[in-house]
Amino acid sequence: MPRGEGRRFDFDVEASPEAGPAVPIPDTRTRILAVSLALFNARGLGRVTTAEIAAAAGIREGNLQYHFPRKSGLVEAVFAAFEAEALAVAGRMPADPAAPDALLGYQRAWFDLIWRYRCIYRDGIAMVDIAPALRPRIHALRAETQALARGVFEAAVRAGRLRIAPEALGRLIDNAWIVSSHWMNHRLQGGTTLTEADLDWGFAQLRDLFAPYLTPDSPD
């Protein structure tokens, strides 16, 4: 599955006969959200101020506050974008669950989503501190995405891609969720910043959880 699929922030399109093909022009709200996500990922949800976001977006702080009067609303909007993408990615059933790369592609798409929104996983405590209203949505999203993932893995079992008993599958899904949710904090215990090499390391941990249950002729 291609990396980076899923819902993105929306863009307006602007074109003129002299300018050639239409190019995406982000509206102010979209630009604020894109800049916020980049800063949150780079520096942490609790460390970035609305003044810094406004400066990075090229607007006055008052203009930012017109769209998001409080930082909590901005954090909620970033989470809403993640929420929509998470449901889409978790529910995307592989065209052929028995294909050798089907589960690998499905799992990699989820990890790439986590990486694009890594501030949500890395800074979960700060996120709820800033926007307490998100707490029930976080729990609901976890339940929904786990249920969707279970459907994909059960399809892989029926297709002969995975060989695992139903009760063991439940434990495997729980363990996969623990790894995908907490690998970043584990890597950050040494005080280093995260890189894409860390992303590959985290994905390898998840992949290895499933390795004993893949059918013998699988190249994964």
Side-chain angles (χ1 to χ4, degrees):
M1 182 175 296
R3 297 180 67 173
E5 285 192 359
R7 181 180 179 273
R8 300 283 188 162
F9 297 121
D10 296 330
F11 290 86
D12 294 332
V13 174
E14 185 175 280
S16 67
E18 297 81 9
V23 293
I25 305 296
D27 61 29
T28 301
R29 188 178 189 278
T30 296
R31 191 164 71 254
I32 291 169
L33 289 173
V35 166
S36 298
L37 179 61
L39 289 174
F40 291 156
N41 280 340
R43 295 182 47 209
L45 280 163
R47 294 189 177 96
V48 179
T49 67
T50 54
E52 290 170 327
I53 293 170
I59 60 175
R60 295 182 178 180
E61 191 172 4
N63 194 1
L64 184 147
Q65 290 171 348
Y66 171 79
H67 295 277
F68 301 101
R70 292 173 297 278
K71 186 178 178 180
S72 60
L74 180 54
V75 171
E76 288 170 8
V78 170
F79 181 82
F82 167 73
E83 189 176 42
E85 287 200 53
L87 291 171
V89 172
R92 191 175 294 133
M93 181 71 69
D96 179 8
D101 61 349
L103 284 184
L104 190 68
Y106 176 80
Q107 293 165 329
R108 186 70 202 205
W110 181 256
F111 256 69
D112 289 342
L113 175 68
I114 290 173
W115 183 251
R116 292 201 307 276
Y117 290 92
R118 53 193 175 275
C119 59
I120 289 176
Y121 284 84
R122 185 194 60 209
D123 309 327
I125 294 174
M127 181 173 66
V128 174
D129 285 343
I130 295 167
L134 286 178
R135 189 182 299 275
R137 288 173 61 183
I138 292 168
H139 292 307
L141 182 62
R142 180 182 301 138
E144 288 182 75
T145 51
Q146 280 187 306
L148 290 168
R150 176 181 285 276
V152 171
F153 296 131
E154 287 176 344
V157 171
R158 291 192 297 271
R161 183 74 179 96
L162 283 176
R163 193 168 296 159
I164 186 171
E167 64 276 8
L169 178 61
R171 292 192 295 272
L172 179 61
I173 292 172
D174 286 340
N175 288 333
W177 186 265
I178 291 169
V179 169
S180 63
S181 298
H182 299 290
W183 68 269
M184 278 186 276
N185 288 323
H186 175 76
R187 294 291 278 183
L188 285 169
Q189 286 179 359
T192 60
T193 57
L194 293 170
T195 68
E196 291 209 27
D198 294 299
L199 171 66
D200 292 337
W201 179 90
F203 181 63
Q205 310 311 306
L206 176 71
R207 186 188 60 213
D208 288 351
L209 285 177
F210 285 81
Y213 305 103
L214 295 172
T215 49
D217 58 345
S218 168
D220 288 354

